[in-house]
Amino acid sequence: MTAAPSSGPAFSVHDIPFSTFGSWFGISPVVAEKTYAEDLHLVSHQNGMHAVLRLVPLDPATGERAGTRVEATPGLLSWAGPAGRVDLAYESPDTVRLRGSGLGMGVSAAAQVLTPFSGTYFFHDPAADAHVFTSYETGRRYRVTILAGRIARTAGAQALGSGDRGLALAAAADGGWEIAIEELDTARPPYASSAAFGEIAAAARGSFADFVDTVAPWRSSATPAAELAAYVLWSATVRPAGLVSRPAVLMSKHWMDKVWSWDHCFNALALAPGCPELALDQFALPFDHQDGSGALPDSVTHSEVLHNFVKPPIHGWAWGRLRRRLPVPPSRAELAATYDRLARWTHFWLTARRAPGAVLPHYQHGNDSGWDNATTFDPERVVVTADLAAFLVLQLHELADLATELRKPDEASRWTRTAGEIQSALLDELWTGERFLARGAATGDSWSSSSLLDLMPIVLGEHLPGEVGSALADHIKAHLTPYGLATELPASPHYLSDGYWRGPVWAPATVLIEDGLRRAGHHRLADDISARFRALCETHGFAENFDALTGTGLRDRAYTWTAASYLLLAEAHAQRSSH
């Protein structure tokens, strides 16, 4: 059942930025990591996360800040107070329109100090008859054009050093005002209004409605967070710019404004049925920056590609699921390109990450695993772990399947043989009969931990011996809290409620384990894990991670792989319920 079109879900901008598909900026009080301003700001993610403009509703009688409440739906942001309101809507990814009635609006530089290398310069541009803020931090300009009303005052035009810079809008005789704010590079023709504000707001609302209908046509009252999850993905998507070579779903338009090289897989999977081209772009983007060794970068963002760590090789697992979710099978050219990318990525693990004579590969740091500070890495950091071997086995099987399709039988045989060798070594060297161990790559010392990471080989699913899968399922049950899978056993002395991978519930571990359990035949436990995670998101939103004992959302509160994981699990639940 498809929900009726509406203005979309209301949400708090304290948790989720107000933005639109394709834009590199949002409107939010979050101006830095875990830093919340009193006022909403225009926050750009070009050259990093930078609060550029402060937006302050003003009492027209006093010119001081007016008391308002902020209301947000996907197409419209409003400041509402006893005296009037201000509305804001996106006209395009780089332009917002604002109009006010009964309230004024201050638009000022967020930075007070201008130096030769930092801050924001403010001036009136006579060529465009507009006021311009030019930001050293983003390397972009922010142009304010008055469409109706008047400027009550300006401050700091052409000023250097410290001081206020900006303008205040006031109503004309008819009681209203309207402006456009554009993010631009150097110059463009003077702004010309393309439509009335109401039409712009309606178009923005319709754009999101079309997206959610495409991405989650299966949604119903049984999946109440689907629209908000879709908004988190839609609003975090940016156009190609800088080092971002394709349309990209950032992890967030808060401070986690990058594409990490395993996060992108979950976003690709959620988008695949409705937005196949966008999904394929998500999967491929890190591969655009694959280096000569075959390694993927740790992360990609507008002006930075980091290679100091890698991320786990879940891409074979992800591709196998992705291609089955696409509405049209990938072309032979797409299969060949993916085969080459995955082969080079796998070659990296088989060469650069295997010690001489070793069959099993190793991580060089917890960051390589994606589980940065998991207790598995407490004794040593350069470690052979069971999760890595399991992911690599799945990737090798996927390569074998692709090679067969592409009529490369010798290569298919080689991949299958290597998968068998690594799985045999995994079981012979790291399985105790009860659990998997980790082993120091240099020392040879072995240990176990209370981390859920040690149980991730359940992702092998149907490839696992039955008794191994059952033992892992029993251990996984011990990590279940009312809110999902704790990444560290709550009874562990190392458990921390806000300890990143030392306790909180995370979306990717949930999806990977749920899928592996299901393929290993443990459907009831998989159903339970799915239900608890879906309920968690429906109650506490789409945070980066969650307190495993209270459900409270932690860290970045608008995380796309969390929203994508909810959509994946909710869609699968809806399909199972309909049969």
Side-chain angles (χ1 to χ4, degrees), residues 114-165:
L114 175 65
T115 78
F117 306 104
S118 66
T120 301
Y121 175 60
F122 175 60
F123 64 97
H124 178 263
D125 176 10
D129 189 23
H131 288 80
V132 177
F133 299 84
T134 179
S135 166
Y136 277 93
E137 282 70 25
T138 68
R140 303 299 182 276
R141 297 162 186 251
Y142 302 83
R143 187 169 74 179
V144 181
T145 302
I146 312 304
L147 306 179
R150 62 186 177 85
I151 297 175
R153 64 180 183 275
T154 62
Q158 302 187 47
L160 307 178
S162 300
D164 293 330
R165 294 174 175 80

Side-chain angles (χ1 to χ4, degrees), residues 85-247:
R85 66 186 288 121
V86 175
D87 294 321
L88 181 153
Y90 276 84
E91 180 176 349
S92 70
D94 64 15
T95 302
V96 289
R97 290 267 289 270
L98 292 87
R99 71 175 181 184
S101 177
L103 293 173
M105 174 62 72
V107 182
S108 60
Q112 284 275 306
V113 179
L114 175 65
T115 78
F117 306 104
S118 66
T120 301
Y121 175 60
F122 175 60
F123 64 97
H124 178 263
D125 176 10
D129 189 23
H131 288 80
V132 177
F133 299 84
T134 179
S135 166
Y136 277 93
E137 282 70 25
T138 68
R140 303 299 182 276
R141 297 162 186 251
Y142 302 83
R143 187 169 74 179
V144 181
T145 302
I146 312 304
L147 306 179
R150 62 186 177 85
I151 297 175
R153 64 180 183 275
T154 62
Q158 302 187 47
L160 307 178
S162 300
D164 293 330
R165 294 174 175 80
L167 65 157
L169 284 303
D174 65 359
W177 58 264
E178 189 169 344
I179 62 173
I181 302 177
E182 304 163 88
E183 183 177 55
L184 53 94
D185 292 341
T186 305
R188 63 172 58 161
Y191 176 84
S193 174
S194 63
F197 184 92
E199 295 172 309
I200 288 167
R205 185 168 62 247
S207 177
F208 171 70
D210 290 344
F211 180 84
V212 73
D213 283 345
T214 300
V215 169
W218 40 262
R219 68 196 188 279
S220 71
S221 59
T223 56
E227 288 198 6
L228 189 57
Y231 176 74
V232 171
L233 287 169
W234 180 80
S235 64
T237 304
V238 295
R239 299 178 298 176
L243 296 169
V244 174
S245 48
R246 304 164 184 265

Side-chain angles (χ1 to χ4, degrees), residues 229-320:
Y231 176 74
V232 171
L233 287 169
W234 180 80
S235 64
T237 304
V238 295
R239 299 178 298 176
L243 296 169
V244 174
S245 48
R246 304 164 184 265
V249 181
L250 303 179
M251 289 312 102
S252 172
K253 280 185 182 166
H254 287 324
W255 60 87
M256 300 295 280
D257 56 354
K258 298 184 179 185
V259 176
W260 275 269
S261 292
W262 67 313
D263 311 42
H264 69 111
C265 293
F266 300 91
N267 290 340
L269 289 170
L271 292 167
C275 301
E277 290 185 10
L278 184 60
L280 289 169
D281 279 333
Q282 300 324 296
F283 183 79
L285 193 151
F287 288 95
D288 292 343
H289 299 277
Q290 196 168 15
D291 72 12
S293 73
L296 296 183
D298 186 41
S299 63
V300 179
T301 191
H302 177 271
S303 303
E304 177 186 81
V305 177
L306 297 182
H307 287 279
N308 52 328
F309 295 105
V310 294
K311 285 292 174 275
I314 69 165
H315 303 81
W317 168 86
W319 175 256

